[in-house]
Each structure stands twice: as structure tokens, then as C-alpha cells.
Amino acid sequence: MAGDPIIRLRDVEKSYGPASAPARVLRGVSLEVGSGEFVALMGESGSGKSTLLNIVGALDVADRGHVEVAGVRYGEAKERALARLRNVDIGFVFQAFNLIEHLTCLDNVCLPASFSRGKSPAEVQERGKEVLGRVGLADVAGRKPGTLSGGQKQRVAIARALFQRPRILLCDEPTGNLDSHTGGEVIEFFRELNERDGVTLVIVTHEQRISSAAERIVSIRDGVIEDESAGAPAAKEAAST
Ligand SMILES: Nc1ncnc2c1ncn2[C@@H]1O[C@H](COP(=O)(O)OP(=O)(O)OP(=O)(O)O)[C@@H](O)[C@H]1O
Ligand SMILES: [Mg+2]
């Protein structure tokens, strides 16, 4: 069961382009996501999904409206609080993996450590190996991403996102570049992460399999939240007992 809202959006607006002829991408989005909830965000190409996810993750800034994540109010927060949120409380997973090719998988996974002082290099490596193990890839630690399959790359990217033990994971079409089988494994991992660790998940997706794994589906159309239908609450309840 989801807890108190960890993400709150109210009347969020975002436009791109010149002020004389703005393209209104988000036109008053209000949404609350409970702590520990698993939400699938769906909608046609260009409907504003990535824009919305980037605003929630403090990678982009809303023009108008209220955004509050994990108790941090975006309009009022100091840059330090936002940086902490981006680097510690929120993990990101993208469709294109965004791994650094000249670093080993272990070094890719350990990149977030540069944002948190206080860990020795040995502790950083240990945590890196731990999260790689968590996604079933302990054996690729010393390899470069270029030598991995798509599914392995995405799991390395997920391990990197988990390095700081985020409370919220934001994923933008995480299975978009994966074949059906590896996509299924990644979805299963997300489900486990949500159920076992209580990580709040917001996943932008076109995939029906993700939306059926989710607890709640939020649809966006032309920058407005259209309807919210329940995902699979029965399955979720059964799994949590
Ligand atoms: N940085 C930007 N500058 C100008 N226009 C942008 C920018 N980012 C997004 N847009 C426009 O905003 C609209 C919504 O884009 P967004 O990426 O949020 O859509 P999306 O729902 O994620 O689509 P897709 O499913 O194709 O990824 C699009 O028309 C896009 O062209
Ligand atoms: Mg997108």
C-alpha cells in the first residue's frame, strides 16, 4: 500500500520556444504519487512524458505551478537541496542507458559516489560491486559497456541508479531498446525493487507489460493528465501478503 505522497505536482505548466509563440507542452498537470507506489506514465509521442519526468527529477524547471518531491519544494529550495535530491534521493534510468564507454562497468556504477563525500575508495568499490551483484552482473565489473548486450547495459545503468539507495526511481522508456525477453527481466527487477525495497517507481513506457506490473497507470495527452486507471492492484496485494 502506498504511503504519504512523495511527489506532489499542482498546476504545473511548461512551454518551449519563443515567448511570442510558445509551444505549451504541459498545460496544468496535477499529480500525487505515494511513497512506495509504482506508477506507469503513458501517452503518445510528444504528449509531454519526458518533460514531466525531467521536471519531477529536477533536471528541468517548470514555468508555473507547484512541485514538491521528498519534502523539497522546488521553487523555494536552495540549489544544494536540489542537488542532493537529484544525486541521492532520486535515481534515473534512460532508454539509451547513458553509460560512459571508456569506463568499466564498475566505474560507471560508482560514478554517483563523486557526489557524496565520506566514503573511502574501497567502500565505493564495495558498494559498486554490491549493486552490480544486485542486478545479477557481478561478473561484468571489469568490462567496458561496449562489450555487453543491451539488457546487460540497462542493468548496469539500473545498478548505477541504485548506488545511492534512492527512494525514487524515474525511468524513461527503460525497455525501449531491449528485446522482449530482456525487457521482461528488467520489468521483473523493477517489480521486485518496488515490492521488496519499497522504492517509488515512475516509469514512462509504451509497454503493456510494464503498465500491467504497475499499481497505477497515469495517462497524459497533449500536456494534460487524462485519466487514471488502476493497474493491477489485485496482483499487487496478493504479492505483498
Ligand atoms: N528542450 C526542448 N526544446 C523545445 N521543445 C521541446 C524540448 N523538449 C521537448 N520539447 C517538445 O515538447 C513536446 C513534448 O516532448 P516530450 O519529450 O516531453 O514528449 P514525450 O511524451 O516524452 O514523447 P516521446 O514518447 O516521443 O518520448 C514535444 O513536442 C517536443 O518537441
Ligand atoms: Mg520521451
Side-chain angles (χ1 to χ4, degrees):
M1 209 45 174
D4 290 341
I6 193 165
I7 298 171
R8 294 175 200 261
L9 305 175
R10 205 168 55 240
D11 303 326
V12 168
E13 296 182 24
K14 179 74 182 176
S15 298
Y16 290 112
S20 54
R24 297 182 66 205
V25 174
L26 299 180
R27 300 183 295 140
V29 169
S30 298
L31 177 69
E32 287 194 348
V33 176
S35 178
E37 215 175 354
F38 180 168
V39 173
L41 179 59
M42 305 188 82
E44 285 175 12
S45 180
S47 57
K49 305 180 298 294
S50 296
T51 303
L52 184 60
L53 204 70
N54 290 342
I55 287 175
V56 170
L59 299 177
D60 200 351
V61 181
D63 298 332
R64 221 169 270 119
H66 177 83
V67 183
E68 185 177 332
V69 176
V72 177
R73 295 181 184 190
Y74 283 15
E76 305 159 19
K78 299 231 159 60
E79 183 47 41
R80 244 184 94 204
L82 290 174
R84 192 192 146 76
L85 202 65
R86 274 192 294 264
N87 298 323
V88 178
D89 297 306
I90 300 176
F92 292 93
V93 176
F94 303 95
Q95 178 173 357
F97 320 134
N98 297 3
L99 298 172
I100 297 179
E101 294 296 335
H102 70 269
L103 296 180
T104 64
C105 290
L106 181 60
D107 287 341
N108 266 283
V109 167
C110 292
L111 279 173
S114 56
F115 298 111
S116 62
R117 279 164 252 126
K119 271 199 175 85
S120 71
E123 285 168 334
V124 167
Q125 297 253 314
E126 196 181 320
R127 173 67 185 154
K129 286 178 185 159
E130 188 180 303
V131 279
L132 270 178
R134 181 75 205 279
V135 298
L137 286 180
D139 53 332
V140 309
R143 284 165 58 180
K144 302 274 173 69
T147 69
L148 304 181
S149 71
Q152 289 174 319
K153 284 184 194 172
Q154 192 57 301
R155 276 146 68 203
V156 171
I158 293 169
R160 180 182 56 190
L162 296 180
F163 184 93
Q164 302 276 34
R165 298 186 175 84
R167 301 163 65 190
I168 303 167
L169 200 59
L170 303 177
C171 310
D172 200 346
E173 307 207 24
T175 57
N177 281 335
L178 305 181
D179 63 62
S180 167
H181 176 72
T182 26
E185 287 176 354
V186 166
I187 294 167
E188 197 41 53
F189 184 76
F190 283 137
R191 196 210 292 266
E192 182 195 310
L193 198 64
N194 173 251
E195 282 172 5
R196 208 179 89 178
D197 304 70
V199 175
T200 306
L201 291 180
V202 180
I203 304 188
V204 168
T205 187
H206 293 290
E207 262 218 63
Q208 215 260 316
R209 285 186 303 172
I210 295 190
S211 55
S212 19
E215 195 170 356
R216 181 172 156 211
I217 300 168
V218 173
S219 301
I220 181 167
R221 188 185 176 89
D222 296 332
V224 181
I225 302 264
E226 204 175 39
D227 65 283
E228 295 195 25
S229 46
K236 174 93 186 173
E237 265 158 38
S240 64
T241 50

